[in-house]
């Protein structure tokens, strides 16, 4: 199910939050409404962690992660890093990387299996991404934009990309990512998809300016209508728990 | 009855400094210096559809940059348009801090402004593909829109931040029983918008209000534009020592510095006004280090508007 919400009068929900299948990060300082919207959807299923990165609130754009790990930029403080390591589940590896393109959320779009990255990312960073996040990495552009993390929202079940992406590009990306993709907008015509929304396999959060049409496109491409969190978590539980004593 | 579109100006020189968003690109284009070219042609120009109101602008000394380099001089043609649904994002950005940092139905407020196409003007660049909004001016009747969530929240906000006991009674009456005579004057712009546009912008607004009182289809709507009062919500800089006894030396500076020049005139003409503290952090420029940014709410009588318009013309033409 997709929820509409705002962070302090801004509809750019994907800037102030980061949602994956194993955890959710939210920025400090928004009103309690923002935090409680996430809590009410996710509380029993995955941890919702309030944090800042490098003292800022734009955490969604600075970090990139999936259920296996979280990558944070070099300017993340030690306290923030420690807080993240303490609050996130143990199987999530939190790694601080030295990359001059420090807005990792803008440079990397990933789900649990595959990642698209900025074409100018360091080779080392690419290896770390493959290692920590456990994904296959592809350097790509979306509709001619190198900031793939900004113009694409990705989950294991679907993806939403920049509205001006051509059909050929859509097909190519869809083959790479192995998920259905659709070109669309968020927040009443905004092209910066990942800034306006954040999504995982069973739920999505969009800015409150998102129209009903946009919301229905999101619910259909990410297959949110039938999705139940328990199904996903049970799958994970089976792979995590060896035996019951 | 038909509005006359007047003088038309020349094309835009495409100069592109490095910025990251369409809006910033538009603003950066006009950034440091600008010229507004004026052709004193009053012949009726063809306007593509009656959505345009073009404007005579003053001819000025101009250096046009022929080459591609950004040498600090940008030529820009501003045009006045009726509000259109496409302007939603630009307007929302301009009005982001209208009620300080209160969380309210800003999108609903912007939608209200966009729906009122008869009164209200948006300033944009002519032939701008990116549709950047530089300024908005409009007047909203508080009674007509009283059922909208944004207006209710706005009224609550104003009543809650009014700390001056003597003004709150006036405010309550303007927002309550006198609401059908009150127009909320909303005027927001980018910081570096050329002041030459201001007299024309306000003239356009008050002329539209006058026309609306005759042209609107129903009597109720016509009456809704017979404003007797205007409320203005804005921000000004107040000298930090203004409350202390002021010595005769004038090196202290003015008590108030107005972000928008026309507000000095409005403040003088206002029936009453009050200041309120802002919660958002302000970064003070060096010249303004003795000043504190406050919000201000003013109420102006409609009969004082013609004097305001005259004074605005004088103020801008002198400077």
């Amino acid at each position: 199910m997709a929820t509409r919400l705002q962070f302090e009068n801004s509809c750019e929900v994907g800037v102030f939050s980061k949602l994956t299948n194993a955890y959710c990060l939210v920025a400090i300082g928004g009103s309690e409404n923002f935090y409680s919207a996430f809590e009410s959807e996710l509380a029993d299923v995955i941890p919702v962690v309030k944090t800042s990165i490098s003292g800022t609130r734009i955490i969604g754009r600075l970090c990139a992660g999936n259920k296996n790990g979280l990558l944070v930029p070099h300017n993340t403080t030690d306290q923030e890093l420690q807080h993240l390591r303490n609050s996130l589940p143990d199987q999530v590896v939190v790694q601080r990387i030295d990359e001059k393109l420090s807005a990792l959320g803008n440079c990397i779009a990933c789900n649990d299996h595959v990642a698209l990255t900025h074409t100018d990312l360091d080779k080392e960073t690419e290896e770390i991404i493959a290692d920590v996040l456990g994904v296959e990495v592809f350097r790509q552009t979306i509709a001619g934009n190198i900031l793939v993390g900004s113009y694409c929202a990705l989950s294991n079940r679907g993806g939403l990309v920049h509205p001006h992406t051509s059909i050929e590009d859509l097909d190519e990306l869809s083959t790479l990512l192995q998920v259905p993709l659709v070109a669309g907008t968020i927040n009443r015509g905004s092209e910066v998809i990942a800034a306006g929304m954040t999504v995982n396999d069973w739920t999505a959060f969009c800015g409150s300016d998102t129209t009903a049409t946009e919301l229905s496109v999101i619910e259909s491409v990410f297959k949110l209508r039938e999705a139940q969190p328990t199904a996903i978590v049970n799958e994970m539980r089976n792979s995590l728990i060896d035996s019951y004593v | 009855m038909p509005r006359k579109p007047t003088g038309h100006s020349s094309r835009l020189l495409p100069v592109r400094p490095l910025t990251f968003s369409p809006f910033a690109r538009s603003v950066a284009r006009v950034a440091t210096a600008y010229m507004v070219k004026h052709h004193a042609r009053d012949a009726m120009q063809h306007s593509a559809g009656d959505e345009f109101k073009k404007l005579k602008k003053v001819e000025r000394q101009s250096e046009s940059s022929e080459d591609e380099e950004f040498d600090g001089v940008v030529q820009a043609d501003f045009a006045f348009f009726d509000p259109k649904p496409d302007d939603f994002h630009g307007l929302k950005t301009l009005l982001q801090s209208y009620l300080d940092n209160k969380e309210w139905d800003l999108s609903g407020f912007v939608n209200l402004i966009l729906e009122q196409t008869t009164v209200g003007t948006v300033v944009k660049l002519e032939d701008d593909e990116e549709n950047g909004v530089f300024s908005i001016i409009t007047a909203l009747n508080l009674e007509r829109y009283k059922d909208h969530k944004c207006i209710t929240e706005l009224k609550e906000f104003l009543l809650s931040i009014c700390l001056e006991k003597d003004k709150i009674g006036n405010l309550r009456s303007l927002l309550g029983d006198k609401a059908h005579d009150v127009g909320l004057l909303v005027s927001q712009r980018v910081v570096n918008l050329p002041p030459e546009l201001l007299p024309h912008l306000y003239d356009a607004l008050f002329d539209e209000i006058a026309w609306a009182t005759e042209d609107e289809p129903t009597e109720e709507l016509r009456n809704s534009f017979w404003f007797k009062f205007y409320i203005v919500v804005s921000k000004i800089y107040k000298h930090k020592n203004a409350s202390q006894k002021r010595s005769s030396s004038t090196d202290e500076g003015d008590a108030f510095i107005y972000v928008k020049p026309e507000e000095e005139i409005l403040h003088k003409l206002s029936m009453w006004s009050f200041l309120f503290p802002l919660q958002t952090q302000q970064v003070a420029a060096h010249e303004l280090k003795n000043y504190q940014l406050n919000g201000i709410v003013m109420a102006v009588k409609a009969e004082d508007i013609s004097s305001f318009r005259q004074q605005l013309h004088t103020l801008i033409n002198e400077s």
Side-chain angles (χ1 to χ4, degrees):
Chain A
M1 274 314 301
T3 319
R4 283 194 189 108
L5 70 164
Q6 284 192 61
F7 180 87
E8 283 185 8
N9 277 339
S10 165
C11 292
E12 309 297 341
V13 176
V15 172
F16 300 103
S17 62
K18 172 73 61 177
L19 180 63
T20 68
N21 287 327
Y23 54 89
C24 177
L25 303 178
V26 283
I28 310 178
S31 69
E32 279 309 300
N33 287 341
F34 187 70
Y35 189 60
S36 57
F38 282 93
E39 283 265 290
S40 60
E41 281 284 316
L42 305 169
D44 302 326
V45 192
I46 57 177
V48 180
V49 181
K50 270 187 177 171
T51 183
S52 62
I53 289 186
S54 154
T56 70
R57 303 187 300 179
I58 51 169
I59 61 173
R61 304 292 87 221
L62 291 182
C63 67
N66 61 14
K67 71 169 172 24
N68 300 318
L70 176 69
L71 297 173
V72 293
H74 61 88
N75 43 8
T76 314
T77 66
D78 293 333
Q79 295 97 311
E80 289 163 351
L81 193 58
Q82 198 52 44
H83 172 61
L84 285 169
R85 287 206 172 115
N86 291 342
S87 326
L88 294 181
D90 293 332
Q91 73 270 21
V92 177
V93 178
V94 183
Q95 176 93 343
R96 182 166 53 188
I97 61 181
D98 247 325
E99 161 64 58
K100 69 177 189 309
L101 297 172
S102 56
L104 299 174
N106 286 338
C107 297
I108 304 168
C110 64
N111 60 14
D112 294 336
H113 308 293
V114 72
L116 294 179
T117 65
H118 192 290
T119 46
D120 298 337
L121 225 55
D122 287 344
K123 199 77 185 79
E124 281 169 50
T125 310
E126 192 181 319
E127 287 165 16
I128 298 178
I129 297 172
D131 195 34
V132 172
L133 300 184
V135 293
E136 208 179 333
V137 181
F138 299 105
R139 286 169 193 264
Q140 277 290 324
T141 62
I142 293 182
N145 286 305
I146 45 179
L147 292 176
V148 288
S150 306
Y151 291 104
C152 156
L154 200 51
S155 83
N156 291 325
R157 317 187 75 189
L160 182 64
V161 295
H162 191 289
H164 297 153
T165 313
S166 64
I167 312 270
E168 301 83 42
D169 279 355
L170 267 183
D171 285 337
E172 188 189 329
L173 285 171
S174 189
T175 339
L176 276 181
L177 300 173
Q178 292 293 300
V179 291
L181 293 181
V182 94
T185 61
I186 188 84
N187 280 336
R188 195 166 160 165
S190 167
E191 302 170 340
V192 194
I193 310 291
M197 65 175 286
T198 184
V199 62
N200 69 6
D201 286 354
W202 70 86
T203 188
F205 295 92
C206 312
S208 53
D209 283 341
T210 310
T211 63
T213 322
E214 290 168 340
L215 211 62
S216 72
V217 167
I218 287 167
E219 288 190 343
S220 86
V221 77
F222 291 107
K223 303 194 179 57
L224 300 175
R225 291 200 186 102
E226 329 79 43
Q228 286 294 322
T230 47
I232 314 292
V233 175
N234 283 337
E235 269 169 50
M236 277 170 67
R237 192 171 287 141
N238 288 336
S239 56
L240 293 172
I241 298 174
D242 208 16
S243 61
Y244 290 93
V245 178
Chain B
M1 189 125 93
R3 273 129 239 187
K4 296 185 181 32
T6 53
H8 181 54
S9 334
S10 52
R11 43 188 170 69
L12 177 68
L13 200 68
V15 175
R16 289 169 199 277
L18 183 63
T19 49
F20 292 104
S21 81
F23 183 66
R25 248 177 270 137
S26 305
V27 172
R29 253 192 241 140
V30 199
T32 45
Y34 60 87
M35 301 143 308
V36 173
K37 269 196 117 182
H38 172 100
H39 293 274
R41 288 182 258 158
D42 7 345
M44 286 253 269
Q45 288 286 319
H46 164 67
S47 64
D50 51 353
E51 43 177 52
F52 270 56
K53 290 167 285 186
K54 308 211 189 178
L55 197 71
K56 267 199 257 219
K57 296 171 209 141
V58 180
E59 178 95 66
R60 296 176 121 240
Q61 293 303 112
S62 53
E63 319 150 30
S64 58
S65 52
E66 295 298 342
D67 45 344
E68 287 291 326
E69 282 162 29
F70 179 61
D71 61 356
V73 172
V74 181
Q75 192 168 332
D77 292 327
F78 293 101
F80 290 11
F81 297 84
D82 281 339
K84 284 201 287 289
D86 285 343
D87 301 327
F88 179 81
H89 289 289
L91 268 192
K92 197 166 176 203
T93 319
L94 276 182
L95 292 172
Q96 199 70 31
S97 57
Y98 189 59
L99 290 189
D100 195 15
N101 63 353
K102 177 178 164 74
E103 282 193 38
W104 66 305
D105 188 16
L106 178 61
S107 301
F109 188 62
V110 173
N111 281 330
L112 267 192
I113 296 178
L114 293 175
E115 280 160 11
Q116 196 180 270
T117 50
T118 47
V119 169
T121 301
V122 172
V123 177
K124 296 195 281 202
L125 291 177
E126 232 175 278
D127 308 326
D128 181 14
E129 333 75 62
E130 285 147 1
N131 219 29
V133 175
F134 284 77
S135 178
I136 172 71
I137 190 165
T138 189
L140 300 173
N141 183 299
L142 287 180
E143 180 75 10
R144 178 179 173 187
Y145 299 112
K146 72 174 179 337
D147 296 323
H148 286 87
K149 184 159 161 245
C150 49
I151 296 294
T152 342
E153 287 177 330
L154 186 134
K155 286 184 186 173
E156 262 173 48
F157 175 76
L158 292 181
L159 286 170
S160 66
I161 40 121
C162 179
L163 304 164
E164 295 178 37
K165 300 255 170 16
D166 45 341
K167 310 278 167 50
I168 197 160
N170 294 329
L171 182 64
R172 208 169 268 137
S173 103
L174 278 191
L175 296 179
D177 47 294
K178 292 212 187 84
H180 57 91
D181 296 324
V182 177
L184 180 71
L185 189 63
V186 181
S187 170
Q188 280 288 69
R189 67 195 70 124
V190 296
V191 180
N192 46 13
L193 193 76
E196 291 81 8
L197 293 177
L198 294 177
H200 300 289
L201 204 55
Y202 277 92
D203 283 347
L205 177 73
F206 293 116
D207 286 344
E208 281 193 303
I209 292 176
W211 289 327
T213 57
E214 294 156 23
D215 297 344
E216 287 282 358
T218 72
E219 171 141 8
E220 195 188 335
L221 286 177
R222 285 198 288 272
N223 288 340
S224 75
F225 287 107
W226 277 115
F227 296 123
K228 298 208 182 80
F229 307 99
Y230 292 99
I231 290 188
V232 177
V233 180
S234 184
K235 298 182 176 62
I236 59 170
Y237 285 96
K238 181 175 163 199
H239 199 287
K240 286 180 188 158
N241 300 327
S243 48
Q244 294 172 7
K245 239 198 182 139
R246 300 217 293 169
S247 52
S248 48
S249 64
T250 46
D251 54 352
E252 292 265 307
D254 303 316
F256 295 113
I257 290 191
Y258 298 90
V259 178
K260 300 183 204 135
E262 72 274 14
E263 283 177 356
E264 188 171 2
I265 310 172
L266 281 173
H267 197 194
K268 285 204 196 79
L269 291 172
S270 61
M271 298 190 301
W272 50 262
S273 66
F274 64 86
L275 295 174
F276 60 91
L278 293 176
Q279 286 176 355
T280 42
Q281 306 280 26
Q282 301 295 335
V283 180
H286 175 72
E287 305 81 37
L288 293 171
K289 63 176 164 30
N290 290 328
Y291 290 86
Q292 175 84 19
L293 188 65
N294 285 69
I296 184 169
V297 178
M298 300 186 258
V300 182
K301 279 201 267 233
E303 16 189 85
D304 293 329
I305 289 299
S306 46
S307 161
F308 163 69
R309 287 166 78 167
Q310 270 173 344
Q311 289 186 41
L312 184 62
H313 274 272
T314 330
L315 176 70
I316 301 296
N317 292 333
E318 272 172 10
S319 50

